[in-house]
Amino acid sequence: MKNKVSLFMCGLALFGVLPAFAATNSGTRAASSVDLTGQPAVRERTQVNYQKYETRTSTKTYDEKDAKNLYYTQPANRSQLYKQYAGNNSTTVRTTRAETYSSELKRKYFLAHPFFQPLKGKFGSVTDLSYTMNSYDIKLLPTGTVSDVNGKWNMDQFSIKEDFSYGITDRIAVLAMLKYDISSYEFDWSTAPDDTMDDNGLNLFGVGAQWRFVDNDKWIATLSGYYQYQKDISNNILLDLKGGYKVGSSTIYGLARGWYVDFDGNSYGNGIEGVTEDGAKSTIFLAYNTDVSSVFYVEGGLGIFSVLDEDWTLNFEGVIGNYDWHNQASLKAAIGWQPNDWVALNLYAKTAVYDSADGKNLTFWGTDIDTGNFVKMGTADLDNYSETSVGLQATFLF
């Protein structure tokens, strides 16, 4: 790798700093890559995972309101679906009628549901192809002389993430994950030559377990725990708690996540490592935080998952999080298509709608041109923070 470093030159003598991180919330930061999902909600008591047609003929009474949703639900007990809704004064409040039916339909096991996990003896595979963009403007306040004080940080990243899970029981599943990143980092200076770096490789590994400890006709809840290793950056321990209320063909849910990040070094941020024109190694580094060996992130949010018809689903989610050096609010939308019982495609987009990084004043470090030491070169004001991801998930159940 031969890069032209425009601001600071000569050798590198870091104090434990990792030189090229791009630790954004949905980019290379480990915790944003988790796909936690679990079993779909159901309007009535049932835990089937497929859609099946059984021919039979009989006469039953049913509510007209429920009739339109028959293809979503197959109750374990027919009386749970075909109810007579009568008040305490024995006055019927809904009209029922007798009618012959020739088939019954069992609820499809929706693979795009945020509570998805495979049932006992089943394997689940979620392959996530995503593109993430992260940028912000920089205005340097140097302590010495630099050739340019105005610039912009840019990160573009293509990722392939695989989550592979297995159902030990209907309620407990284990999971393994890995992620391959193709990343491009850049300090885009207004007049000086830009500083760029590429970083490609298998950068994330993890294992975990999911426990769906509540699942009845009204409520569903899961607790998940994971260990992740982000190559050359950190070891991470994550906990995820989700709970949902089932209404009609939708699930309204809340989530809470927290993760402990143990860094390999004592600082983290965005940096470029390269060589000068005479071949010497050099680094510039914008530190999110220094003299810190670990941090704790936490986030919470609300979402709704809805079945539009037999094959299509829609998911909206809003999350607010604290990520040590900044806070962020983001929105995510996804539309899913599941033509059969074993495969689903989910197209999604996520973007930050608020970030407290705007107005932050961070420290800026580089290789000193005279001494060759890695020293503080000044501070940098941030503005116009932007972060957006788009992706396609392919989920298989077998």
Side-chain angles (χ1 to χ4, degrees):
M1 176 174 58
K2 187 175 180 62
N3 298 353
K4 184 173 182 180
V5 178
S6 59
L7 292 184
F8 312 107
M9 301 180 181
C10 300
L12 175 64
L14 297 181
F15 48 92
V17 172
L18 299 173
F21 296 157
T24 60
N25 291 334
S26 65
T28 59
R29 182 172 57 78
S32 302
S33 305
V34 176
D35 298 310
L36 304 173
T37 50
Q39 182 175 355
V42 293
R43 288 185 61 252
E44 304 293 337
R45 293 184 178 88
T46 178
Q47 292 183 11
V48 297
N49 66 335
Y50 58 92
Q51 186 181 44
K52 181 179 178 181
Y53 298 82
E54 299 176 356
T55 302
R56 62 175 69 178
T57 300
S58 180
T59 298
K60 297 289 184 181
T61 60
Y62 64 94
D63 291 294
E64 294 182 31
K65 176 177 181 289
D66 287 333
K68 64 181 180 181
N69 289 325
L70 287 180
Y71 65 89
Y72 293 135
T73 305
Q74 167 57 57
N77 185 332
R78 300 296 291 178
S79 64
Q80 296 174 5
L81 177 61
Y82 301 119
K83 297 177 182 177
Q84 306 293 322
Y85 288 87
N88 293 331
N89 59 2
S90 299
T91 301
T92 300
V93 295
R94 296 194 186 186
T95 301
T96 61
R97 67 175 183 265
E99 183 168 305
T100 299
Y101 66 89
S102 60
S103 66
E104 65 180 38
L105 294 94
K106 292 186 176 180
R107 170 74 181 264
K108 181 184 288 186
Y109 191 74
F110 287 103
L111 306 182
H113 199 284
F115 290 80
F116 165 75
Q117 69 184 56
L119 299 176
K120 181 179 180 179
K122 296 287 187 177
F123 291 92
S125 170
V126 181
T127 303
D128 190 325
L129 306 177
S130 65
Y131 171 64
T132 299
M133 302 164 285
N134 173 234
S135 67
Y136 48 80
D137 295 334
I138 302 169
K139 182 175 179 59
L140 296 181
L141 304 173
T143 56
T145 301
V146 297
S147 56
D148 197 346
V149 298
N150 295 304
K152 184 176 184 179
W153 167 261
N154 292 306
M155 184 202 78
D156 295 285
Q157 183 181 80
F158 291 93
S159 297
I160 305 173
K161 186 173 183 289
E162 173 64 27
D163 292 346
F164 190 78
S165 55
Y166 174 74
I168 297 177
T169 71
D170 282 351
R171 296 298 182 103
I172 297 176
V174 292
L175 180 142
M177 66 191 75
L178 54 85
K179 183 180 179 184
Y180 186 90
D181 298 322
I182 303 172
S183 305
S184 176
Y185 310 129
E186 177 188 45
F187 282 114
D188 180 9
W189 305 109
S190 59
T191 58
D194 298 336
D195 299 309
T196 63
M197 191 179 94
D198 295 327
D199 180 26
N200 307 328
L202 198 61
N203 293 321
L204 180 69
F205 311 86
V207 293
Q210 300 170 317
W211 175 32
R212 191 176 61 255
F213 59 93
V214 174
D215 191 5
N216 55 44
D217 60 336
K218 291 296 183 183
W219 299 94
I220 185 170
T222 59
L223 177 64
S224 306
Y226 304 90
Y227 164 78
Q228 291 179 335
Y229 171 66
Q230 194 166 3
K231 185 179 178 182
D232 298 328
I233 296 180
S234 63
N235 292 279
N236 314 304
I237 298 174
L238 300 88
L239 288 177
D240 179 278
L241 176 65
K242 286 200 290 284
Y245 177 72
K246 307 170 186 180
V247 52
S249 55
S250 298
T251 304
I252 301 170
Y253 63 93
L255 61 90
R257 299 189 185 108
W259 54 98
Y260 172 77
V261 182
D262 182 26
F263 294 114
D264 291 351
N266 64 2
S267 300
Y268 73 108
N270 294 137
I272 299 290
E273 182 184 52
V275 295
T276 65
E277 292 179 333
D278 58 5
K281 292 181 65 176
S282 182
T283 295
I284 55 177
F285 178 68
L286 180 63
Y288 293 157
N289 206 342
T290 60
D291 194 24
V292 58
S293 60
S294 62
V295 296
F296 184 76
Y297 299 144
V298 63
E299 63 185 17
L302 294 173
I304 182 170
F305 174 86
S306 294
V307 177
L308 301 180
D309 66 14
E310 193 172 348
D311 295 335
W312 292 89
T313 61
L314 194 63
N315 190 194
F316 291 104
E317 189 175 283
V319 171
I320 298 176
N322 175 270
Y323 309 105
D324 182 49
W325 72 280
H326 70 140
N327 303 317
Q328 185 183 95
S330 62
L331 294 177
K332 180 180 179 180
I335 185 167
W337 176 60
Q338 184 175 332
N340 52 48
D341 303 325
W342 57 271
V343 64
L345 297 177
N346 206 39
L347 181 65
Y348 68 88
K350 178 183 178 181
T351 188
V353 294
Y354 163 78
D355 202 293
S356 66
D358 290 349
K360 290 283 187 180
N361 183 262
L362 305 180
T363 56
F364 201 80
W365 302 75
T367 307
D368 185 81
I369 197 169
D370 296 320
T371 66
N373 295 327
F374 198 72
V375 296
K376 180 179 176 181
M377 305 298 294
T379 60
D381 289 334
L382 272 56
D383 197 15
N384 296 322
Y385 187 97
S386 174
E387 186 174 332
T388 299
S389 298
V390 294
L392 177 66
Q393 288 181 331
T395 303
F396 297 89
L397 182 68
F398 52 94

